[in-house]
Structures are given as C-alpha cells and as structure tokens.
Amino acid sequence: MKRIGILSLIAVLLVMAVYAGAPVNFAAPKPVIGIVGSEDVQTVIAGSQGEYSIQLQNISYTVAKDIKVTLTGNHPFRTDVGSLIQTVRLLNPGESDTVDFTVYASPTAEAKTYEFEVQIEFYDYYETYYVSTQKVYVKVINNYVEPILGVVDYSTGQSALETGKPDSLLLNIKNTGSIAAKEVQVSVDGFSNEGVVLYRDVDTKQIQSIEGGDTELLYFNVIAGPDAVTGTFPINVHLEYIDEYGGTYEKQTTVYLELAGAEAVDGSLSISDPIYPDTVRPNQDFTVSYTVTNNGETTIGSADATLAYDPAFISKSNAKVLIKNLEPGESQTIDVTLMAKSDTASETYHNYLTVTYTPLGATEDEAKSVQAYVGIYVNSESTEGSKPKLIIANYDYGGEYAYAGNEFTLTLDIKNTSTVEGTKNIKVTLSSEDSVFTPVDASSSFFIPSIGPGQVYTYSLKLKTKVDASVKIYALTAKMEYEDSNGNAYDQNDNPYEESEDLSVAVAQPVRLETGEVSIPYEIYSGNPFYIEQEFYNMGKSTMYNMMVKINGVETNEGSYFVGNFESGSSDYFSAQVYAYDPGSYEGTLVYTFEDALGNVSTIEKPFSYTVMEMPVYDDNGGGVIDEPFPVEDPGQSGGVSGYVIGGVLLLVLVAGFFIFRNRRKKRMQKELEDLDE
C-alpha cells in the first residue's frame, strides 16, 4: 500500500508539472530598448571631427533585432558630413551594445550643452515594428569666432572735399572673426546736395570673400554736393554677408567726411600734349592736336579753344571749337587740319593755341585765358623720289606672356619714317598664326586718318587668345595699307604703299594641379609600418615638366617619386611606406614641384597629420571569443519544449528520487531492527 501511495504521488506531481509547463495563451512581452546614461556629458570640438557614443541595453525578456539608431532634433552635428544613422543587428534580453557615430560639429555651433533626441527603431521576433525616442546630451567647445565685419579705417584723397572736385572714399573693411565672410555686400547711403553725393558710381558693391583676420579695401567715388557747406557729413555703411555654412549677418556703421564748402571752389584750365609734325611740306595736310583739361574744382561752363595760325597755312577744319560744361578732371582733345600753301618758303612759322573759359557761376567779365605755342617748320625743297614708310616702332601686350583663353591689350606705336612725306587713309589688318589671336568686340582691321612725317600714332585694341593654344611664341602680323599725303596709293613705280610687320607674342597655358584626399589608415599602432598615399591629376591644358613628389616630416625609405613629364589630362598615384615607432601625433607634408613649358617652377604643398597608438594587448584567459549571442527561445514557440517544462520535469525527478531514497532507507533500517530482535 505504501508503494502504491508513493507511485500515486509521483503521478500527481507529473500531471501538475506537465500542466504547469504547458503554453499559456498570453501575448508575448514586447522588447524594450533603453539608453544607458554615463556620469559625464560627452564633449565635441566645433569645426572638428569627433566621436559620439550611445550604449543601448535590452531591458526586456524578448529579443530585439534590426535596430536602427538615428540622431535627431536640435543637435550641433553637420548632416552633410558623415552619417547620423547606425544599426545593430541583434540585442538579446539583458544584453548591451555601444553604437559609435563619427560626427563633425559645425564651426558656428554655439558653445553650450545641447539636448537632442535619439530615435530607436527595431523589430521583435515576429517582425513587429517598434519605435521610441529618448533624450541625450552633448557639450560643444567652440574656439571659432563667427565672421565679424567692420570698417576699421576710411579716408579720402582730399583732407576736405571741395565742390566740383571728384574724390574716392576708401573703406578698409576687416573680418575680426576666425571664419570667412562670403558674398559681402557693401552699400552706402545718406547722400545729399548739401553734403556728399556719389560721382559716377553705384551705391552697392560686392566682395567675394574676406577670410578671418583679413582686410579688404573698397572704393566709392564721391564728390562734394553743389550746396555743400564747411563741416563734417555722415555717410552710412551697410554690410550684409553670410558664412560658409549659410548663416546670415548684417552690420552697420557710419563714417564722417570733411567738407571744404562751396566757397572754397575755383576754376582752372590747361592746354596739354600739343602734337604736331616737326616738318611739313607745301600742299601737304597735317594735324595739330591738343588737349584741354579742367584742373579746377568746379565745372567750366564754356570755353573757346582757338588755333591762331600763320597766313602761310590754310585751315581745312574748324580752327575754333566751343567746349561746354567741362567737368572737374575732364579733358577734351581737339584736332585741327592745316596745309601749307604751295608757295610757302622754307622756315619756321609761329602759331598759337588760346583757350578762353568761364567757370559756372562766373560772369563773362570774369573769364580767364590760357595759351600755348606751336612752331611748325615748312620744307619747300623738292620731294621727288621721297616715299613714306610705316613701321611698328614699338609694341606691348601687357607682360611677358599672353595666357590662353584670356584677353590682353595690344598697344602699337606706328611711325612714319619719312621726314617730308605724310600718310593718310591708313588701314591696318592683324592676322596671327593658326588664328590664335582674335579681336574682342571689333574687327581684325582698324583705320587711322593720317600720320604726318616723323610722327608716331599709338593705337590699342583688345585681343583674346584661343583656349587651346599651345605654349610657344606666335607670330602676329600687322599689314599696313595707306596713301601718301596727295592721295596716291602707289609710288612712282606703281608699287602699292603697304608694309607688313611680324610681332612675336609668347603664349602660356596656366598649369592646374589637383590632388585627391591624403589616404592614411584610420588606426595606426606603434611598431607597425603603414602607407600614406595620394592621387594627383593634371587638370590644365599643358604638360607639367620634371614633376617631383616628396614626402616630408615622416620616417620612410620612399621619400620621393619622380614623375617626369606629366601630360595634360593624366593622373598618377604617390605611395610611401611610413614607419611608426612611438605613440603620438605627427604632421607631414606632400610637396609637388614642376615646371611649365616656359621654365617657370611651381611648388604645391599638401599637409597631413596622423596619430600613432600603443599596440593593444589581448588576454582572454584561455577562452575564445563568442561573436554571436546565444539565441533565446520565444516562450510561445510551437514544436519545442519550453524552459518552463524542462524546469518542471527536473524538479519532479528530484522529488521522486528523494521519496524513493527515503523509502528504501526506511525498509533497510526496519530489517536491521528485526535482525537484532532475533
């Protein structure tokens, strides 16, 4: 009976264990992901790359997988550099993992502690989607200063502006910040006829960029107003600009200009640069040219400019010219064509230039005069057999080279080498080898009315060099077709009056070397060599000669690379093995040197830096590294034995063993007692 009771108890316990371990129809608990906080707020440096870490922990009893972590909200990190999203494949219950973000704090970020959000998206075993948002913090240390523009100095050419006398207001604008100011718009206002007004200028100008700590000069042409009075006059200066990250700024200041007042104004006019031939021939046209300039401080209302010539000459143009409203500093050039009569004797004849002028506000009784002398020698000797000849006495194109694709100004000094015969109706045609030079907004020919005996005529025009022109010296031909002073296009031998001159113009192609990013390993350990590499490209249109790449500031056996002739459109690669012996931060430079086709040497430096760390020591106490976490079975999974069932069965076996052991022991003790009784 006792055996039957024990067996019945075991059966009851088995039934209880089975029912206790059977699946219960409750909803499985959802996974919960939390952020483990740290004692200290993490710190980043504005304008630098850094690392921001978040430790995640699964604080539930359910597996979370495909976890996506995103930094959102009012954080100081730039979204255009690096990624603000990281993923974790799996987190088992109670397990933790650290997510590292490589971040770049904006140089304009305010130095403070930022509170922002981390969005965590994940799934459970049944692909159910969950999302949560938690707050985190980061501290920004900012050593940058936003661009701050101001007018640190200003001046005018005159100590005090005078009415009618133009001047320039020079503004010295400085950026006292450490970040560049871009697209700087400078505008001035507050002008008045009783003070200062703009003089043939605009009120707004732009500066492309002012780097931190740099200054830029900007001019505005001004003039004292017609009703200006002695004293100071304020001009408002407005500055609007952005930083390189799109932030907008606006500043305003006032400058004060000294005025001399209208009572200090006076008029002054001069005759300058009279040009005429040293010698003329009878029946030969020649030109007397002179310039009238207003050197005063007020407008010349009217001026009579007259060439009083000797009766031995005949005027073929108006010898008297009326000039109206000549502004201060303004000039007017006057040409008068004369001819010596056929019976003029050989001698020097005296002629006079006279300009009588009246400033605005003055009466005719207050008119003033200036005069200049013109002495012209007439050579009446026979000119038979004399032939005028034109040459290019001198030419200039603004420097040693004309750069391909750029405009330049060509100035020609064309001289008539004849001392007795003049030229007129002169046509000059320019042509170049391979049509490498083309006129800008003009034809390839230009016209000169006349060049007298021994005279030099200066003419300037703009040319543009072909973009793909080779680097060499090109021939530019000037062909001159003309007539003599009597209108003959041919000499006595029926040869046309024409001359050609070949000019030499050196053409250069601007060199353009571009480089990629310097490639350095992310982790460098002491005692291990590593490679520093960089790609480079010839983006110009000409060959770079004798190119050499050197690496400075590091320990290496590969310190230089001779490229040789680096063709246009080519690319190459520099690589050097560097040795790292001691931990620390190091800096170096990649130096590129090369020559252009004209022998000019250029040097370009590309700095870099890297950090060497101690070699880590690993000690796993003889154990291995487990890469994958041990999966935890879902309590509702069908087709398997749950953890609860296994636990119940083990408990039942222990209880049954205890009762069997106790029953056997009791029987053995009873038998021993019976043996003793016998």
Side-chain angles (χ1 to χ4, degrees):
M1 286 297 293
K2 290 181 180 180
R3 181 185 299 270
I4 293 174
I6 292 172
L7 291 176
S8 298
L9 178 60
I10 291 173
V12 170
L13 290 174
L14 281 172
V15 171
M16 291 176 63
V18 170
Y19 277 99
V24 181
N25 191 18
F26 292 117
K30 71 175 183 179
V32 178
I33 304 298
I35 295 178
V36 180
S38 59
E39 295 182 359
D40 299 323
V41 176
Q42 299 181 62
T43 302
V44 295
I45 306 298
S48 301
Q49 179 177 297
E51 186 176 271
Y52 187 78
S53 300
I54 294 176
Q55 185 177 3
L56 303 177
Q57 184 174 16
N58 187 345
I59 57 176
S60 67
Y61 295 100
T62 304
V63 173
K65 64 178 185 175
D66 299 331
I67 304 165
K68 178 181 176 182
V69 184
T70 306
L71 304 184
T72 62
N74 185 29
H75 59 71
F77 306 131
R78 289 180 57 183
T79 58
D80 58 331
V81 180
S83 175
L84 302 183
I85 300 175
Q86 295 291 342
T87 59
V88 176
R89 192 177 68 84
L90 188 72
L91 269 182
N92 283 319
E95 189 176 53
S96 298
D97 197 357
T98 299
V99 180
D100 296 323
F101 294 86
T102 299
V103 295
Y104 187 93
S106 173
T108 59
E110 184 181 353
K112 67 176 186 179
T113 299
Y114 287 79
E115 178 186 84
F116 59 99
E117 291 78 37
V118 174
Q119 180 176 285
I120 306 173
E121 302 170 81
F122 53 94
Y123 296 86
D124 62 10
Y125 182 82
Y126 297 101
E127 301 296 334
T128 302
Y129 172 78
Y130 300 93
V131 61
S132 65
T133 301
Q134 301 184 40
K135 293 186 180 298
V136 292
Y137 302 87
V138 66
K139 182 179 180 181
V140 173
I141 299 175
N142 194 339
N143 297 321
Y144 287 87
V145 180
E146 66 180 16
I148 303 173
L149 297 188
V151 178
V152 295
D153 192 17
Y154 61 92
S155 62
T156 57
Q158 307 169 58
S159 58
L161 298 182
E162 299 176 0
T163 301
K165 189 173 182 180
D167 206 331
S168 292
L169 170 61
L170 172 62
L171 300 177
N172 191 341
I173 302 172
K174 183 173 184 179
N175 181 359
T176 57
S178 59
I179 299 175
K182 303 286 186 180
E183 300 178 13
V184 182
Q185 284 197 350
V186 184
S187 59
V188 290
D189 62 28
F191 300 105
S192 168
N193 286 337
E194 297 179 352
V196 179
V197 295
L198 280 173
Y199 180 76
R200 298 179 181 178
D201 206 347
V202 296
D203 61 359
T204 301
K205 297 184 179 181
Q206 184 166 352
I207 301 173
Q208 184 176 2
S209 175
I210 305 178
E211 298 296 327
D214 286 353
T215 60
E216 289 287 340
L217 300 178
L218 194 64
Y219 291 88
F220 287 92
N221 294 324
V222 296
I223 191 171
D227 303 323
V229 295
T230 303
T232 58
F233 186 78
I235 298 294
N236 300 320
V237 181
H238 304 271
L239 303 170
E240 296 182 14
Y241 53 98
I242 64 173
D243 59 32
E244 55 188 304
Y245 307 100
T248 59
Y249 304 85
E250 186 173 348
K251 301 289 183 181
Q252 180 171 328
T253 188
T254 303
V255 299
Y256 295 89
L257 305 185
E258 291 290 332
L259 300 178
E263 63 274 13
V265 174
D266 195 4
S268 176
L269 188 144
S270 65
I271 299 173
S272 59
D273 301 327
I275 300 173
Y276 51 90
D278 296 331
T279 304
V280 299
R281 303 288 297 183
N283 299 318
Q284 172 187 310
D285 292 348
F286 64 93
T287 301
V288 176
S289 176
Y290 61 101
T291 301
V292 178
T293 303
N294 183 356
N295 298 315
E297 300 160 350
T298 189
T299 301
I300 302 298
S302 63
D304 291 327
T306 304
L307 171 59
Y309 54 87
D310 191 276
F313 300 107
I314 297 173
S315 176
K316 288 194 169 185
S317 64
N318 195 349
K320 183 176 181 179
V321 177
L322 177 63
I323 302 173
K324 285 284 192 179
N325 297 323
L326 192 65
E327 299 286 344
E330 188 177 3
S331 299
Q332 182 170 329
T333 300
I334 301 170
D335 296 327
V336 181
T337 302
L338 302 175
M339 184 185 75
K341 297 176 181 178
S342 58
D343 58 350
T344 303
S346 296
E347 65 175 273
T348 298
Y349 293 86
H350 307 293
N351 312 277
Y352 297 91
L353 296 169
T354 303
V355 181
T356 302
Y357 63 96
T358 305
L360 281 178
T363 65
E364 292 184 2
D365 296 336
E366 298 173 320
K368 301 178 181 180
S369 295
V370 292
Q371 194 173 64
Y373 171 75
V374 176
I376 299 175
Y377 178 75
V378 177
N379 184 357
S380 59
E381 297 178 359
S382 175
T383 61
E384 184 177 354
S386 176
K387 177 183 176 181
K389 182 179 181 180
L390 298 181
I391 65 170
I392 304 296
N394 187 36
Y395 70 96
D396 180 77
Y397 52 90
E400 296 183 11
Y401 316 107
Y403 283 95
N406 289 357
E407 296 179 4
F408 65 93
T409 299
L410 174 67
T411 301
L412 302 175
D413 291 336
I414 304 173
K415 182 178 181 179
N416 180 359
T417 61
S418 174
T419 59
V420 295
E421 187 70 35
T423 59
K424 64 180 182 179
N425 298 329
I426 305 161
K427 178 183 177 183
V428 182
T429 303
L430 299 177
S431 61
S432 59
E433 178 185 350
D434 298 332
S435 298
V436 70
F437 305 114
T438 55
V440 178
D441 298 330
S443 68
S444 58
S445 300
F446 57 90
F447 178 77
I448 302 173
S450 65
I451 303 178
Q455 283 189 333
V456 175
Y457 186 92
T458 300
Y459 188 86
S460 298
L461 74 161
K462 282 190 176 181
L463 299 177
K464 185 173 183 179
T465 310
K466 281 185 10 180
V467 175
D468 58 350
S470 301
V471 179
K472 68 174 188 176
I473 298 176
Y474 286 87
L476 176 62
T477 302
K479 181 180 180 182
M480 296 167 285
E481 303 171 85
Y482 53 96
E483 300 173 355
D484 62 18
S485 58
N486 296 316
N488 299 314
Y490 296 86
D491 62 16
Q492 295 176 348
N493 299 319
D494 291 331
N495 295 318
Y497 286 126
E498 63 179 32
E499 300 290 342
S500 291
E501 294 273 0
D502 287 333
L503 316 177
S504 297
V505 180
V507 173
Q509 279 279 2
V511 293
R512 182 181 167 199
L513 178 68
E514 297 288 343
T515 61
E517 293 291 332
V518 179
S519 177
I520 301 176
Y522 182 73
E523 294 183 347
I524 302 172
Y525 296 103
S526 59
N528 288 349
F530 63 96
Y531 282 88
I532 294 179
E533 301 170 330
Q534 187 175 46
E535 289 186 272
F536 52 94
Y537 320 89
N538 184 350
M539 302 294 287
K541 293 183 172 62
S542 61
T543 302
M544 301 177 184
Y545 297 91
N546 298 323
M547 171 172 277
M548 172 75 77
V549 188
K550 293 183 179 181
I551 186 169
N552 296 331
V554 300
E555 295 190 37
T556 179
N557 294 328
E558 303 167 344
S560 63
Y561 169 43
F562 181 69
V563 182
N565 295 341
F566 195 35
E567 301 292 337
S568 173
S570 300
S571 64
D572 208 335
Y573 193 85
F574 175 77
S575 178
Q577 188 180 47
V578 178
Y579 302 100
Y581 296 111
D582 299 315
S585 296
Y586 298 89
E587 295 182 351
T589 308
L590 287 171
V591 182
Y592 296 82
T593 57
F594 53 88
E595 301 175 7
D596 61 18
L598 300 171
N600 299 313
V601 179
S602 298
T603 300
I604 296 177
E605 296 185 356
K606 298 293 181 179
F608 60 85
S609 61
Y610 59 90
T611 301
V612 178
M613 300 179 290
E614 288 281 5
M615 177 65 74
V617 178
Y618 298 98
D619 184 6
D620 58 2
N621 295 321
V625 178
I626 300 176
D627 292 333
E628 293 292 334
F630 186 79
V632 178
E633 291 289 345
D634 191 280
Q637 183 176 359
S638 62
V641 181
S642 70
Y644 297 108
V645 173
I646 294 174
V649 171
L650 291 175
L651 177 61
L652 181 62
V653 170
L654 290 174
V655 172
F658 171 77
F659 280 106
I660 292 172
F661 172 77
R662 189 179 67 174
N663 187 43
R664 288 182 176 179
R665 184 180 179 214
K666 185 176 180 180
K667 285 183 177 181
R668 186 172 62 251
M669 292 179 63
Q670 184 176 0
K671 184 176 183 306
E672 289 176 355
L673 290 173
E674 289 177 356
D675 291 340
L676 289 174
D677 292 337
E678 291 178 358

